[in-house]
Amino acid sequence: MAKMKIKKNDVWIDMTPMSDVMVLLLTFFMLSANFVKNEVVKVMTPQSRTEVKVPSTATLDITIDTLGRVYLGTDKVVTMEYALDTLLSKEFSKYKDQLGDTKANAAIRATFKAETQIGIPFEQLAAYLGKTHEQMSKQLKESGLPLDSVIEIPNPNKETGKDIYSEFQLWVKALKNGYKKWYKDMERKKDKGEPIEIDLATTPNKLEICIKCDQNTPYGTFKKVITELQDINESRYKLLTQYKKEE
C-alpha cells in the first residue's frame, strides 16, 4: 500500500505587531518614569519609622552635608532656567552679561541646565560653569550656598526702606516662582487646546520643600536653614529620613 506524503509548509509568524507593542511600551515607560537625579553631594540621612512617602517630582530639595554646606536642587530644567533669569533681571543684574540668555552664553547656560544641584555663590557661578566636569564636581563639594550673605532690595513699604535676603533665600524664592510660571504656562496651553506633556490633574501646582540632612550635620546649620525659610514665609517642609525597620 502506497504511503501518502504530507506536504510540509514553512511556518512564518508576522512579528510586526509584536514590535509595535514593544516600541509603544518602551515609549510609555520612558515618558512616565522618574529618573534618579545624579546628586554630586550625597548625604546619609538619619533613620526613622515614618512611612510617609515624599513626591518623586515637583520638589525643591535642600541638602545639608556633614560640614553644614547647603545645596538646592529640583527636577525641572525649565524651573532652574527661569530662576536664573529672574535673579539676573533683579538682584544679580550685574552678572547678566556673563550668564544672560544670549548666543555667547549658550554653552554656559546649557551646562547650568544640566546641573542637578545649586551650591556656588553667584559671583563665582560663571567661572564655575566654564570649568571641566571634574573641576566643577570638586568645587561644588567644597562650596555651598551662603546663608550669611546680605543682599539689600529697596522696599518703600518698610520703615527701613529695604528688604534683606541671603543668596539661599533668593534662590528658594526664584525656584518656587519658576515652577509656578511653568505650571501656569501649561494651564494656558491646555485652555487653548494645545498639547502638553503632563496631566494637570495629578501634577502639583507648586514645589514642595524637602530638607535632606546628613546624620552628622551640625544642628546649628539646620536651625539656620529653618530660620531662613521662615523669614520668607516658607514654614511647610518635609524632613527626609531612611525607614528604620523593627529589630
Side-chain angles (χ1 to χ4, degrees):
M1 183 176 179
K3 293 182 179 180
M4 293 181 62
K5 291 186 178 180
I6 300 174
K7 186 178 180 181
K8 295 182 180 180
N9 295 321
D10 292 334
V11 178
W12 180 79
I13 300 176
D14 187 3
M15 297 296 292
T16 304
M18 180 72 74
S19 301
D20 292 342
V21 171
M22 291 297 294
V23 171
L24 288 173
L25 286 173
L26 181 61
T27 303
F28 169 77
F29 287 120
M30 288 178 63
L31 294 177
S32 61
N34 294 317
F35 296 98
V36 177
K37 291 176 288 185
N38 182 25
E39 297 178 334
V40 177
V41 179
K42 302 180 185 297
V43 297
M44 182 65 69
T45 55
Q47 295 182 336
S48 73
R49 290 190 171 89
T50 303
E51 295 188 64
V52 178
K53 293 183 178 181
V54 298
S56 57
T57 61
T59 61
L60 173 53
D61 303 316
I62 301 174
T63 303
I64 312 174
D65 71 1
T66 55
L67 297 178
R69 292 175 292 219
V70 180
Y71 304 88
L72 294 176
T74 187
D75 60 326
K76 290 211 171 292
V77 171
V78 66
T79 301
M80 292 182 62
E81 188 173 25
Y82 179 80
L84 176 64
D85 289 333
T86 299
L87 294 178
L88 288 172
S89 65
K90 297 177 181 178
E91 295 83 10
F92 297 100
S93 56
K94 62 181 179 180
Y95 301 107
K96 197 167 185 177
D97 291 342
Q98 303 173 26
L99 296 165
D101 189 8
T102 63
K103 289 183 179 180
N105 296 333
I108 284 181
R109 288 176 67 90
T111 303
F112 174 79
K113 288 189 289 184
E115 289 288 280
T116 56
Q117 290 180 309
I118 301 170
I120 300 294
F122 216 98
E123 62 180 7
Q124 303 173 20
L125 190 56
Y128 164 79
L129 294 171
K131 295 182 178 181
T132 64
H133 178 72
E134 290 75 15
Q135 291 172 332
M136 289 171 62
S137 297
K138 181 180 178 182
Q139 184 176 348
L140 185 64
K141 291 177 181 179
E142 297 173 350
S143 186
L145 286 177
L147 297 174
D148 54 356
S149 55
V150 177
I151 299 164
E152 298 181 355
I153 301 174
N155 185 351
N157 297 322
K158 280 199 169 183
E159 293 183 4
T160 58
K162 60 186 177 182
D163 287 321
I164 298 177
Y165 296 105
S166 66
E167 281 194 34
F168 168 78
Q169 291 174 321
L170 291 176
W171 272 113
V172 170
K173 289 167 64 70
L175 285 166
K176 293 206 72 174
N177 289 335
Y179 184 87
K180 286 181 182 179
K181 179 181 183 299
W182 169 80
Y183 191 89
K184 289 180 179 178
D185 287 343
M186 295 297 103
E187 287 183 319
R188 281 192 289 268
K189 286 183 178 181
K190 183 180 179 181
D191 292 340
K192 293 179 180 179
E194 299 177 10
I196 58 176
E197 67 270 19
I198 62 166
D199 180 6
L200 290 176
T202 59
T203 302
N205 60 2
K206 61 181 180 180
L207 287 180
E208 184 169 5
I209 295 177
C210 296
I211 303 176
K212 183 166 58 175
C213 299
D214 193 275
Q215 52 192 348
N216 296 317
T217 292
Y219 175 72
T221 305
F222 171 76
K223 185 178 180 181
K224 175 67 173 174
V225 167
I226 300 301
T227 302
E228 292 273 288
L229 291 173
Q230 291 174 339
D231 288 345
I232 56 174
N233 300 318
E234 295 290 349
S235 300
R236 296 179 64 87
Y237 48 82
K238 284 185 168 67
L239 301 178
L240 304 187
T241 59
Q242 298 182 64
Y243 180 64
K244 183 178 181 180
K245 297 181 179 180
E246 295 286 349
E247 296 179 357

